[in-house]
């Protein structure tokens, strides 16, 4: 489901920019790269609000080489408004929360190389703006064949039952790890293209998978995630059931390897 939504977003953005961006960025950068970069900036920069809600950034600064900026503005003067509308549509489709109307800004920046772009985001709530674009929703894995779970320290099993699954010390997380070495919002597991991907949320102590420190990692069955003193064994099934059986849990070795 989410894979299709992201694809639809990319397709709309590609149609939107295929004229201007395709003429501007002749070379290795394709209009779909622009779409992917904007979509990724939304997904990778959400913050966790009250009730564990995921809030998307509200300001997107697209930095361009000055000459490229001049050409782009001349070709498509209303591009920023169109891109802002696409951000709203994407958040509505994926269930992200917007605290205020999103703003897209094009900025000429001589530090950016020609024919490339850089997207910087901010979480800004404009004063006196009380209208919320949309309400957050939980996204269970409806219709997905991927049935995944985490086995915590070889003792208890927690199903990954949302497309966005937060782990950390704060009680609003989907999985709470009560360890002072674990950050309040330590890591996030996201469903993308029918695979679960782990993202470290700039944690203080770091996230380790199979003994290696990672910022981003495509999870595979048997991966051992270590944060603080906790070991999380990632498991997958293709059966319709939503949990691992007691027999399977008993097969998990009691001592998981240490990640250093």
């Amino acid at each position: 489901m989410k894979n299709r939504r992201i694809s639809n977003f990319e397709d709309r953005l590609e149609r939107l920019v295929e004229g201007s961006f395709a003429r501007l960025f002749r070379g290795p950068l394709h209009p779909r790269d622009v779409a992917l970069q904007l979509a990724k900036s939304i997904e990778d920069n959400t913050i966790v609000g009250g009730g564990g809600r995921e809030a998307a950034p509200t300001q997107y600064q697209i930095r361009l080489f000055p000459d490229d900026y001049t050409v782009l503005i001349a070709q498509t003067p209303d591009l920023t408004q169109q891109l802002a509308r696409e951000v709203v549509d994407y958040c509505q489709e994926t269930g992200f929360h917007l605290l205020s109307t999103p703003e897209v800004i094009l900025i000429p920046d001589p530090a950016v190389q020609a024919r490339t772009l850089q997207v910087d985001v901010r979480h800004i709530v404009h004063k006196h703006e009380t209208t919320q674009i949309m309400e957050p929703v939980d996204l269970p894995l409806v219709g997905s064949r991927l049935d995944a779970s985490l086995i915590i320290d070889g003792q208890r099993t927690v199903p990954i039952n949302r497309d966005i699954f937060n782990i950390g010390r704060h009680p609003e997380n989907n999985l709470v790890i009560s360890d002072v070495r674990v950050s309040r919002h330590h890591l996030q597991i996201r469903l993308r293209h029918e695979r679960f991907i782990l993202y470290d949320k700039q944690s203080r102590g770091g996230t380790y998978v199979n003994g290696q420190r990672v910022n981003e990692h495509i999870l595979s069955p048997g991966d051992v995630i270590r944060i603080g003193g906790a070991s999380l064994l990632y498991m997958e099934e293709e059966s319709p059931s939503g949990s691992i059986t007691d027999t399977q849990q008993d097969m998990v070795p009691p001592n998981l390897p240490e990640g250093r």
Side-chain angles (χ1 to χ4, degrees):
M1 176 67 73
K2 189 171 183 179
N3 183 23
R4 184 171 63 253
R5 289 169 175 168
I6 293 176
S7 178
N8 291 340
F9 174 73
E10 295 170 8
D11 290 342
R12 289 200 308 270
L13 262 184
E14 183 170 348
R15 289 194 298 270
L16 173 65
V17 301
E18 64 184 358
S20 299
F21 273 113
R23 289 191 295 271
L24 178 63
F25 298 111
R26 297 187 187 281
L29 186 62
H30 188 271
R32 181 171 291 275
D33 297 325
V34 180
L36 283 170
Q37 194 161 341
L38 185 56
K40 190 174 187 298
S41 71
I42 296 173
E43 290 207 3
D44 291 351
N45 292 280
T46 61
I47 59 175
V48 180
R53 297 178 298 180
E54 293 282 331
T58 53
Q59 186 182 91
Y60 302 81
Q61 298 181 355
I62 301 178
R63 298 181 179 274
L64 303 159
F65 186 70
D67 290 347
D68 296 339
Y69 168 85
T70 301
V71 173
L72 184 60
I73 288 297
Q75 291 177 342
T76 316
D78 63 341
L79 181 60
T80 57
Q81 291 87 350
Q82 296 182 55
L83 289 173
R85 182 66 249 175
E86 292 295 334
V87 170
V88 172
D89 291 344
Y90 180 69
C91 289
Q92 288 176 333
E93 290 179 355
T94 55
F96 291 131
H97 190 59
L98 282 169
L99 299 179
S100 64
T101 304
E103 180 182 23
V104 178
I105 305 172
L106 298 180
I107 300 175
D109 187 345
V112 177
Q113 294 183 354
R115 301 181 183 277
T116 65
L117 74 159
Q118 175 183 329
V119 180
D120 300 318
V121 303
R122 295 180 181 178
H123 291 266
I124 298 176
V125 179
H126 298 292
K127 191 175 182 179
H128 305 310
E129 183 171 1
T130 59
T131 302
Q132 295 182 342
I133 303 302
M134 59 174 295
E135 292 298 321
V137 296
D138 287 330
L139 296 176
L141 301 181
V142 176
S144 174
R145 296 177 63 244
L146 188 59
D147 183 6
S149 60
L150 296 170
I151 301 178
I152 316 301
D153 293 327
Q155 297 179 2
R156 63 188 180 101
T157 301
V158 177
I160 303 176
N161 55 4
R162 287 177 171 82
D163 289 354
I164 301 172
F165 193 85
N166 295 294
I167 301 175
R169 185 162 44 87
H170 195 281
E172 291 178 345
N173 287 285
N174 303 113
L175 173 60
V176 179
I177 304 294
S178 299
D179 185 330
V180 294
R181 293 167 291 180
V182 174
S183 297
R184 290 163 60 85
H185 305 290
H186 198 105
L187 68 89
Q188 189 173 82
I189 296 176
R190 290 178 178 271
L191 182 67
R192 299 189 67 179
H193 304 287
E194 299 302 320
R195 296 294 302 275
F196 274 120
I197 304 178
L198 178 152
Y199 298 93
D200 181 83
K201 302 288 284 186
Q202 298 182 334
S203 63
R204 184 176 62 240
T207 299
Y208 294 81
V209 178
N210 302 327
Q212 300 295 320
R213 185 163 183 168
V214 300
N215 293 319
E216 179 176 330
H217 178 79
I218 300 174
L219 290 168
S220 298
D223 280 347
V224 177
I225 306 164
R226 176 168 289 279
I227 57 175
S231 292
L232 318 176
L233 177 62
Y234 177 78
M235 300 291 286
E236 284 182 8
E237 290 184 356
E238 293 190 358
S239 64
S241 63
S243 61
I244 297 176
T245 65
D246 293 338
T247 301
Q248 291 170 310
Q249 184 169 334
D250 291 339
M251 295 172 62
V252 178
N255 297 317
L256 301 177
E258 294 286 338
R260 299 293 182 188

